[in-house]
Amino acid sequence: MITRLNARSQSADWQRAMARAITDPAELLRRLQLDPALLPATRQAARNFRLRVPLAYLGRMVPGDPHDPLLRQVLPLGEECLEVPGFDPDPVNDLAAMPVPGLLHKYHGRALLVTSSACAIHCRYCFRRHFPYQNAAAIREHWPRILMYLRSHPEIREVIFSGGDPLTLTDDRLAALAVDLAGIPHLRTLRLHSRLPIVVPERVDQALLDWFTGTRLHPVMVIHTNHAQELDGTTRAAMERLHLAGVRLFNQAVLLRGVNDTVQALTDLSHALFDSGVQPYYLHLLDPVKGAAHFAVDQETALALMATLTRQLPGYLLPRLVRDIPGQDGKITLVPTL
Ligand SMILES: *Cc1c(COP(=O)(O)O)cnc(C)c1O
Ligand code: SF4
């Protein structure tokens, strides 16, 4: 028995943290001392898209506050079950853009891989909440065809690991993918889009740094943070480990009603990112996904917020306000008139 307990078969700290995440709505309400009357609607909404909150993230919420900006991102609400015209299961029409299952090639020079169907946290506003992953997250099965596609498109410089969350895969698996990609001469950059460094900061361990910075590809990480309260000493330390290993760090946020739709919240976020060595990159308008209409901020309000941010922040702390419009060959940048 003892011989089986080698380093490889033991689960890493981050895997144990993921396994301990809260998935029971009653437990979430109890731990945060919230009104049990919320439970029936929460249970019903969680049936469509399960509740999932890692304990590290829960620990940054303020107990007793039903409007806590972190809680709002994960608490299933009755509003999710309403049918709202214009809010659809696949708002960005991803399925139409897959030349090989698991590979999205919509933008010049960049190809995006849906590497994993799993996430460490379930964000209620997620545009992939209805994504039929069983068709898409077929990276393993279709890997030879994906490599062939990438080899035959010399204009692709960058491969993006997305999901789900790519960092739910094991480092052995990710290392194998990175090595295969590094073998394609025209690829230059490997970019990860992940929420794990925020919600399970112990995910940024030496094994990750080793494979991510261990090929000739430039390592880029886009973290997903929507509110300054999501950043603390543990996430700052994770960013520092990435930075010292040579990873370029960017953040993308989603503009969410009741979470970060104020000038104060957005300036605080940019400053907190700066303190963590992370460059603000995108502020997304919500993709109109079914079940998330209550998070929507209209374009006019978003532009007014951006106009104020533009006056109050140095240019290097300003995210670009963008929206994804089906059929376009890039995200559309919305620029406020000043
Ligand atoms: C967002 C996205 C990208 C990356 O876009 P950038 O502007 O380079 O950040 C690439 N492919 C797809 C399909 C995307 O949705
Ligand atoms: S894909 Fe991103 S936004 Fe969606 S649930 Fe996973 S971590 Fe949250």
Side-chain angles (χ1 to χ4, degrees):
M1 290 302 274
I2 294 201
T3 52
R4 295 183 58 188
L5 281 175
N6 58 33
R8 245 157 222 257
S9 65
Q10 273 177 26
S11 58
D13 289 351
W14 65 268
Q15 286 168 314
R16 284 194 297 276
M18 279 195 35
R20 282 200 305 266
I22 291 184
T23 54
D24 174 14
E27 190 184 354
L28 178 72
L29 298 181
R30 195 167 52 241
R31 283 188 182 243
L32 290 170
Q33 299 148 37
L34 293 170
D35 187 353
L38 288 166
L39 193 56
T42 298
R43 276 209 196 288
Q44 194 198 348
R47 239 173 259 140
N48 295 329
F49 181 48
R50 201 173 174 198
L51 169 80
R52 176 172 290 280
V53 194
L55 291 174
Y57 193 77
L58 183 87
R60 296 175 213 144
M61 296 177 191
V62 178
D65 180 5
H67 305 294
D68 181 275
L70 278 54
L71 175 68
R72 260 192 83 80
Q73 294 179 54
V74 296
L75 179 68
L77 294 176
E79 281 102 313
E80 293 180 22
C81 305
L82 302 174
E83 288 283 341
V84 180
F87 286 78
D88 298 322
D90 182 18
V92 297
N93 200 13
D94 268 349
L95 294 176
M98 285 197 172
V100 182
L103 178 116
L104 289 164
H105 185 202
K106 293 204 290 192
Y107 300 168
H108 184 82
R110 292 149 288 169
L112 183 150
L113 297 179
V114 179
T115 48
S116 161
S117 57
C119 285
I121 185 169
H122 284 178
C123 314
R124 309 314 297 180
Y125 54 84
C126 182
F127 78 99
R128 295 197 200 279
R129 52 179 290 162
H130 309 282
F131 208 62
Y133 281 115
Q134 54 281 24
N135 305 332
I139 284 288
R140 199 184 282 270
E141 187 187 338
H142 297 285
W143 190 237
R145 272 177 69 201
I146 288 171
L147 289 175
M148 214 185 313
Y149 184 92
L150 294 172
R151 267 189 221 107
S152 64
H153 285 80
E155 77 279 12
I156 298 177
R157 296 174 62 93
E158 176 170 17
V159 171
I160 301 168
F161 286 1
S162 181
D165 199 308
L167 290 184
T168 58
L169 296 179
T170 65
D171 291 305
D172 284 351
R173 182 80 193 113
L174 289 161
L177 300 179
V179 165
D180 285 348
L181 293 175
I184 301 177
H186 56 265
L187 295 181
R188 310 288 284 273
T189 301
L190 176 58
R191 186 199 317 182
L192 300 185
H193 276 241
S194 176
R195 201 143 158 63
L196 265 292
I198 299 302
V199 303
V200 183
E202 54 270 68
R203 179 66 186 90
V204 183
D205 59 12
Q206 195 55 45
L208 183 155
L209 298 175
D210 285 347
W211 69 262
F212 194 26
T213 63
T215 73
R216 62 172 189 83
L217 300 172
H218 298 305
V220 173
M221 172 95 81
V222 180
I223 61 165
H224 293 202
T225 315
N226 300 314
H227 196 281
Q229 198 180 312
E230 291 180 40
L231 299 165
D232 67 4
T234 61
T235 62
R236 265 194 299 280
M239 297 314 139
E240 185 163 65
R241 290 195 290 279
L242 288 161
H243 175 75
L244 289 174
V247 178
R248 271 17 111 89
L249 293 167
F250 300 93
N251 182 62
Q252 67 173 30
V254 182
L255 185 58
L256 299 167
R257 193 157 95 215
V259 174
N260 59 7
D261 59 336
T262 62
V263 169
Q264 187 69 51
L266 293 170
T267 39
D268 287 352
L269 175 59
S270 275
H271 288 304
L273 289 167
F274 182 71
D275 289 343
S276 295
V278 181
Q279 170 86 49
Y281 180 42
Y282 281 154
L283 177 64
H284 286 263
L285 279 186
L286 184 78
D287 291 311
V289 65
K290 186 169 181 275
H294 55 293
F295 284 115
V297 175
D298 63 77
Q299 187 164 314
E300 203 181 326
T301 308
L303 283 167
L305 283 167
M306 278 308 291
T308 311
L309 288 185
T310 306
R311 277 184 234 109
Q312 295 192 357
L313 286 171
Y316 62 87
L317 290 188
L318 261 189
R320 276 168 57 182
L321 180 67
V322 291
R323 74 179 314 163
D324 208 328
I325 296 177
Q328 297 289 323
D329 53 10
K331 278 149 187 90
I332 305 297
T333 303
L334 303 170
V335 182
T337 43
L338 296 177

